[in-house]
Amino acid sequence: MRSVRAALHELDEERLVRLVAKGDRAAFEELYRRTSPWMVVRLRRRCGDEQIVAEVMQETYLAVWRAAGAFAGTAVGGTATGWLWTIAARRLVDAFRRRAHHAEPPPAAAPPDRAPAAEELALAETVGGDVGDALRRLAPELRQVLQAMVLDGLSVRETAVLLGLPEGTVKTRARRARIEMRRSLA
């Protein structure tokens, strides 16, 4: 058993996903061991509700187990970790939509002042000073793209999938965001 684990430890994430597609439970366990710590951190940066984060983690890895055969990998310019994050991000959006659909307060009960979102608070803690101020002044659609690409390290394609936008729109928004950031910081 130890030699199997040692062999799996030497494989990259893409190869592990390929083994998971063939039903290899040990490869799945190794993939989970490697990727779940950073996945939880990324999800917590986007959502402060631990219950939602736990649900999204479970749904993500269940989807990975079931759909590993659909992973296209480097053949289409993707990475295994990018693929995992895309699945998790989609599950997180689905969780937010479910929650909003089931727990929408009546318009009269909505508070008059908007409280900062968990993501905004996390962003304030992560990026401070003039850069943080300039980032917070960006339009939300520009900030989302810049955050996904720069802070989360996603590619244009991964950002497009995460935000449900065409790649061209992501590129345009990223360019506009960078131009506005330069102006703000000049």
Side-chain angles (χ1 to χ4, degrees):
M1 185 67 159
R2 192 169 279 296
S3 62
V4 171
R5 286 188 185 178
L8 289 174
H9 186 71
E10 295 176 10
L11 297 176
D12 64 4
E13 287 81 7
E14 183 169 347
R15 185 70 186 126
L16 288 172
V17 171
R18 301 270 182 238
L19 291 172
V20 169
K22 295 176 182 177
D24 188 329
R25 288 184 186 268
F28 180 77
E29 290 171 6
E30 177 66 16
L31 182 68
Y32 182 84
R33 186 192 65 74
R34 282 190 206 178
T35 59
S36 63
W38 65 260
M39 182 79 70
V40 167
V41 170
R42 282 182 121 177
L43 288 169
R44 284 179 180 154
R45 284 195 343 214
R46 297 204 179 256
C47 176
D49 187 327
E50 287 297 320
Q51 182 179 356
I52 290 177
V53 170
E55 288 172 14
V56 168
M57 285 291 291
Q58 184 175 12
E59 290 174 12
T60 297
Y61 285 97
L62 180 60
V64 167
W65 177 255
R66 290 179 176 167
F71 173 62
T74 56
V76 294
T79 64
T81 54
W83 181 70
L84 285 166
W85 174 244
T86 300
I87 292 170
R90 286 181 178 172
R91 296 299 186 268
L92 184 60
V93 169
D94 291 345
F96 286 149
R97 285 181 182 154
R98 279 192 307 271
R99 175 175 268 190
H101 178 71
H102 293 294
E104 205 168 317
D113 293 328
R114 182 181 76 83
E119 188 172 85
E120 291 173 0
L121 294 174
L123 182 62
E125 292 175 9
T126 305
V127 181
D130 294 338
V131 173
D133 292 340
L135 190 57
R136 283 183 286 283
R137 283 193 298 267
L138 285 176
E141 66 272 9
L142 300 181
R143 186 173 51 243
Q144 285 178 330
V145 168
L146 202 59
Q147 182 176 357
M149 292 180 71
V150 176
L151 297 179
D152 291 340
L154 299 179
S155 69
V156 171
R157 173 174 284 155
E158 292 165 342
T159 301
V161 170
L162 171 66
L163 299 176
L165 299 170
E167 288 183 37
T169 302
V170 169
K171 290 177 185 177
T172 300
R173 288 183 182 178
R175 184 174 182 275
R176 284 180 45 213
R178 287 183 177 114
I179 288 170
E180 287 189 31
M181 288 289 291
R182 282 189 200 107
R183 282 188 199 140
S184 292
L185 295 171

